[in-house]
Amino acid sequence: MNTTSPSQSRRSFLRTTTQLTAGLAGLTAGLSAFAADAAVPSVKDGVYVIGPIPGYSPQIGTLVSMLNYNRFTILSMTKAFTKQELDYLVDPKANTIGALLLHLGATETFYQANTFEGRQDLNDAEKKEWGAAMELGDEGRKQIKGNEIKYYVDKITAVREKTLAMLKTKDDAWLLAVDPEWSKEEPLNTYWKWFHVCEHESNHRGQIAFLKSRLPGAKASKE
């Protein structure tokens, strides 16, 4: 019988991650040299190519390529939704597709504030703009509705454009640095924070796919 507790597993995972992170720091320096000697594809708009992107340090470019892919899939999935579909509640406790889209922007706004400015919370203006989208639940159901898809796309695109612009000013040392404020129990670095933004979007993409399959008149799901 496996007697390892969840907290022990988490500590082991993060310890291994920290060790790998130290190795990645050395690998980062080698990536530039490798690019000079090998036929490394130039990643521009290719959403199906994960790897370094011109204009970013190697590790950050790889992260950006994953963020780009996730966003591409979200926008492709939702581009044809009507206002009614964006506002549809599958049950009284659910979130709407529109609210989930706005939640992506709210979460990314928090990680911008934290990683680019060193803040541990949104400021008053950000809370006013993003509070309902961050918390979802009753406030989200009450406040986030009545908007066309363009509204949501414009909001989350503006947030993403800021992220990409700021990431161009950073390097791999910044990305790999461990945050002492967040590492009081286990080591946690900036790369994890932005990886979490990426996996968070993947998680809600799955929710949106489920909600899409439950819209009135939707065809039976094959997934």
Side-chain angles (χ1 to χ4, degrees), residues 140-155:
R141 285 185 285 272
K142 182 167 66 175
Q143 295 187 34
I144 306 171
K145 57 186 176 181
N147 305 301
E148 302 287 353
I149 185 61
K150 184 178 185 302
Y151 169 82
Y152 299 104
V153 171
D154 287 350
K155 293 277 286 186

Side-chain angles (χ1 to χ4, degrees), residues 20-194:
L20 288 171
T21 296
L24 283 171
L27 175 62
T28 298
L31 282 171
S32 296
F34 174 77
D37 297 334
V40 179
S42 175
V43 183
K44 293 182 180 178
D45 299 322
V47 293
Y48 301 112
V49 178
I50 300 299
I53 297 177
Y56 300 92
S57 62
Q59 292 287 333
I60 290 178
T62 300
L63 169 69
V64 167
S65 70
M66 291 185 279
L67 290 170
N68 286 347
Y69 172 75
N70 269 354
R71 182 53 54 86
F72 169 78
T73 60
I74 288 282
L75 296 180
S76 297
M77 181 188 298
T78 60
K79 64 183 179 181
F81 282 157
T82 65
K83 186 188 300 184
Q84 291 70 32
E85 290 170 335
L86 290 165
D87 288 350
Y88 179 71
L89 272 175
V90 68
D91 65 57
K93 295 183 179 180
N95 296 302
T96 66
I97 292 172
L100 290 175
L101 287 172
L102 215 56
H103 180 65
L104 300 180
T107 301
E108 189 166 340
T109 296
F110 168 76
Y111 280 97
Q112 288 176 351
N114 179 258
T115 62
F116 299 143
E117 301 179 34
R119 292 193 273 126
Q120 301 302 319
D121 199 1
L122 299 177
N123 60 35
D124 289 343
E126 291 163 342
K127 287 178 181 178
K128 183 176 181 180
E129 180 178 4
W130 297 104
M134 180 66 82
E135 298 301 326
L136 295 175
D138 290 337
E139 283 305 301
R141 285 185 285 272
K142 182 167 66 175
Q143 295 187 34
I144 306 171
K145 57 186 176 181
N147 305 301
E148 302 287 353
I149 185 61
K150 184 178 185 302
Y151 169 82
Y152 299 104
V153 171
D154 287 350
K155 293 277 286 186
I156 64 175
T157 298
V159 174
R160 179 55 54 85
E161 286 175 350
K162 179 180 177 180
T163 293
L164 298 180
M166 290 300 296
L167 288 175
K168 284 185 177 180
T169 71
K170 304 299 183 181
D171 59 20
D172 286 353
W174 171 86
L175 187 68
L176 297 171
V178 172
D179 179 355
E181 182 65 26
W182 285 37
S183 300
K184 293 176 180 177
E185 293 185 6
E186 299 288 351
L188 190 154
N189 67 356
T190 307
Y191 208 152
W192 180 89
K193 295 179 183 183
W194 282 100

